[in-house]
Amino acid sequence: MSSVNIQDLDNFNAFHEVWDETESCSGSLQGMTIAIKDNIVTKEGTTTCGSKMLKGYKSPFNATVVDRLICAGATLVGKTNCDEFAMGSSTEHCAWGPVLNPWDKTRVPGGSSGGSAVAVAARMCNAALGSDTGGSIRQPAALCGIVGFKPTYGTVSRYGLVAFASSLDQIGTFTQSVNDTAKIMHVIAGHDEFDSTSNPEPLPDFLGNLNTPIDNLRIGVPSQYRGDQNDPAINTAITAAIETYKNIGATIVDIDLPLTDVGVSTYYVLAPAEASSNLARYDGIRYGHRTSEKCKDLIELYAKSRAEGFGAEVKRRIMLGTYVLSSGYYDAYYNNALKIRRLICEEYKEAFSKCDVILGPTTPTVAFKIGEKTDPVSMYMNDVYTANTNIAGICGISIPCGFSEEHGTPLPIGLHLQAQWHDDVKLLRIAQMFESSTMFHKQSPECCS
Ligand code: GLN
């Protein structure tokens, strides 16, 4: 067994910076202001993951995405608040307090990348990076009326993204337009030798044919995405979005995704299992908060530090994950969830033999009130349309498609489009077709136009 000493780590970081200099720095993002979710490490400032556990933590290196943005001339404007370790759907579970939705400050912005979504929706910056493990880019984008893109797993390097559930996590973008999404993807996507799960294939051209419509576009609409579980205003906006696509020549295909129903339960076995393992590193010795109380031994030090450092939702996930991985329950829960994961992949494969893209709402409801969802399961149900995208590793985007007028103030609605593995460019082109036929993305909240 070899051990990594300080000397090795110095070389490691130095090597990464050499890579940085040898890359061609295009300057294509010159003048663009970009915020970074606080679970993506930056040498500048701190990286806290919204947790007391990492209060004041300073990373010795930049995430690959951060290096690439700097290299392309972007101006990084700050770190954005998020649910603790990206666990949540509302950005209420943060050690630093909740994030408010700029369309109605009594409501949540969605989560877990709520701070990034709000920074873009409130026009504080042009774009932001977030992470999406089960919907954390697409949901806040929908609830804040902006574009949120989760690329195919492996398209963007996760090096420097603090791990939550490594087989599901993916970095992506928040922007005010699909065109800006493509501009940023052009810079941040591509293989990275520091992330063994990043795709080594040559990159598709994100910018070249963004404005060329897809011929003979087939849009799949699953019956499972429509029904009483959605706010009526959401069903109305989705019907209108289907009409928009029909008017620009698309064919609508009825498809069936019966495993939509089991997505949330599968996700809440897989994600906590991986999280319980990933978060074991925060022991108060190697990383994170250390209790100042006197402890009789090392185990008590670990226990007290973790009890003080982690919030309630993170503790719940660690307990859930440890439970489903324990020897008596592994087969019943974790192994079964892996089998369902395979079935979900097959279900998508079958669906994509009939259509280019799958259309539905991003969320079943518009932004809800802060403090409204105290029961964890009702919070988890927000992931019903987004979790399976991550379980399969395909790509998905949320784009503005309307507003609900039932709450005294307009509340944004997101259109969710999902495409096949590595069809990221095609997905952006299909999203662009909608965006160029509508004006929803041009609207900003009253506070910040
Ligand atoms: N809402 C999901 C969760 O709490 C997804 C979070 C995410 O995508 N980071 O796990």
Side-chain angles (χ1 to χ4, degrees), residues 37 86-89 112 131-136 164 267-268 317 383:
K37 184 176 180 180
M87 297 174 191
S89 306
S112 65
S131 64
D132 192 312
T133 304
S136 278
F164 162 13
Y267 173 87
Y268 280 95
R317 305 286 178 108
D383 305 336

Side-chain angles (χ1 to χ4, degrees), residues 15 38 40 76 102 130 132 167 179 200 209 227 232 268 310 325 333 344 348 369 375-376 406-407 411:
F15 184 60
D38 202 20
I40 298 173
L76 304 188
D132 192 312
S167 78
N179 189 56
N209 51 9
Y268 280 95
F310 288 138
L325 289 175
Y333 293 104
I344 289 171
Y348 273 122
K369 290 272 188 189
D375 152 39
E406 287 157 15
H407 304 272
L411 294 176

Side-chain angles (χ1 to χ4, degrees), residues 9 11 14 25 44 84 86 109 127 140 142 154 232 246 259 271 321 347 349 355 394 417 420-421 432 444:
L9 283 176
N11 289 339
C25 292
E44 199 65 42
E84 187 174 359
K246 275 191 197 159
L259 294 176
E347 184 171 278
K349 222 187 241 171
C355 61
I394 59 173
L417 301 170
Q420 181 67 289
W421 296 274
Q432 175 75 354
S444 56

